[in-house]
Amino acid sequence: MSRPEDTLSADVHYNDSEARKYTTSSRIQNIQASMTNRALELLDLSSPSLILDVGCGSGLSGEILSSTPPDEGGPHVWIGMDVSASMLDVALQRDVEGDLLLADIGQGVPFRAGTFDAAISISAIQWLCNAESSDVSPQGRLSRFFNGLYASLKRGGRAVCQFYPKNDEQKKMITGAAVKAGFGAGLLEDDPETKNVKFYLVLTVGGGNLDGNGGDITGVVRGLDGVDVLDSMHSNKSGKGEIKKGSKAWIVKKKEQMERKGKVVKATSKYTGRKRRVAF
């Protein structure tokens, strides 16, 4: 069966008609509520928090954040970003409580470093795997998104992204981009081996002290069934394959670290790291 993201960009697919149809569907409302509650369960927030809703659409997931009861850590304050003006227009008509931003997540997350306590995304990030033109790559869009998301979260912050990968290659591309951005990552599979399978990418920003785990994702999902831990913080500890200082790989890695801190760096080119001839 064809998927809308295979043929159209999200801002084109979710026009006025589709946005209204999506929002008023009781089936969609129930599914969105269920997945948002699952994401909140995985975030495990103990107090009201500032949450970024990535691909917020018409605010269905945001309503769950606003109405989270105090005994479950809420209510939360949220900011939503989405590429579809029609979806955001419906959200405004519905008078949702969150602030809204029209933006393409494939171009990054345009907020000051360390702004958010947490982030959620429901059925959105798979759209990043489809580029609308030949000069834009899915890998580049995923990299800009996850690097921007990493920078926008506080140290020790968490994010949960529910998504529908088209295949294993797409799943690896998404999770790989998150790990490369610096996240500790775990992939949780709900309803496995069924047509209703749902994937939750659970992410942590290192440096915090979450329940004594130091931001380690293995502490967040310990004891849950069907978890594939993709924690970059515990990989390559043997010392083998170290990157030589001053090499192109070393320079690129440093640039990525600076980008995650919200710094502006020069683009990498074929000249990056190239040794210069000695001038006489």
Side-chain angles (χ1 to χ4, degrees):
M1 188 173 70
S2 64
R3 295 151 58 103
E5 58 265 35
D6 290 339
T7 55
L8 295 171
S9 61
D11 56 328
V12 175
H13 174 73
Y14 288 112
N15 54 27
D16 291 348
S17 174
E18 281 294 325
R20 285 193 297 271
K21 185 164 64 175
Y22 185 95
T23 307
T24 56
S25 167
S26 58
R27 175 178 167 274
I28 293 294
Q29 291 173 9
N30 291 333
I31 293 173
Q32 284 278 116
S34 174
M35 293 190 297
T36 304
N37 282 318
R38 182 63 161 138
L40 279 171
E41 179 186 345
L42 293 168
L43 283 177
D44 193 26
L45 299 169
S46 59
S47 59
S49 303
L50 177 59
I51 300 178
L52 174 64
D53 187 354
V54 178
C56 65
S58 56
L60 294 177
S61 50
E63 286 182 328
I64 304 295
L65 302 179
S66 298
S67 60
T68 304
D71 61 346
E72 295 180 14
H76 303 294
V77 176
W78 60 279
I79 296 175
M81 58 184 296
D82 201 283
V83 72
S84 169
S86 296
M87 278 289 202
L88 295 180
D89 187 46
V90 173
L92 288 171
Q93 293 173 26
R94 297 175 66 241
D95 198 24
V96 298
E97 293 187 28
D99 291 326
L100 305 171
L101 172 68
L102 178 64
D104 177 8
I105 62 173
Q107 299 303 318
V109 180
F111 293 96
R112 185 177 299 174
T115 296
F116 298 99
D117 301 303
I120 67 165
S121 180
I122 306 298
S123 307
I125 63 173
Q126 70 268 8
W127 288 87
L128 292 171
C129 296
N130 299 86
E132 291 84 45
S133 60
S134 59
D135 60 340
V136 179
S137 70
Q139 291 85 354
R141 290 173 61 77
L142 285 164
S143 176
R144 284 189 290 273
F145 166 64
F146 281 115
N147 281 327
L149 181 64
Y150 187 98
S152 73
L153 291 168
K154 293 179 180 177
R155 302 294 286 177
R158 297 178 184 172
V160 175
C161 301
Q162 180 277 325
F163 68 107
Y164 293 109
K166 182 178 180 179
N167 47 41
D168 285 343
E169 180 183 353
Q170 201 172 88
K171 181 169 63 177
K172 290 177 182 177
M173 183 164 59
I174 290 172
T175 55
V179 170
K180 189 174 181 180
F183 284 107
L187 189 64
L188 177 64
E189 191 174 339
D190 274 0
D191 302 319
E193 308 300 328
T194 73
K195 66 178 183 179
N196 296 319
V197 61
K198 301 175 185 66
F199 291 93
Y200 294 85
L201 183 59
V202 190
L203 306 170
T204 59
V205 177
N209 186 24
L210 300 174
D211 305 321
N213 294 309
D216 184 355
I217 192 62
T218 55
V220 178
V221 296
R222 184 182 292 119
L224 294 175
D225 293 330
V227 176
D228 182 13
V229 176
L230 308 161
D231 191 356
S232 63
M233 291 180 284
H234 296 294
S235 61
N236 198 27
K237 292 293 185 179
S238 63
K240 296 180 181 179
E242 291 185 357
I243 300 174
K244 183 180 178 182
K245 186 175 182 179
S247 66
K248 183 172 182 176
W250 182 86
I251 293 171
V252 170
K253 185 177 180 180
K254 288 294 182 183
K255 284 184 175 182
E256 290 173 349
Q257 291 173 348
M258 295 294 283
E259 285 179 337
R260 289 198 293 268
K261 294 177 181 177
K263 303 293 180 64
V264 177
V265 299
K266 290 184 177 180
T268 300
S269 72
K270 64 180 181 179
Y271 301 107
T272 301
R274 179 175 291 186
K275 294 187 181 296
R276 300 177 185 274
R277 291 182 179 178
V278 178
F280 292 98

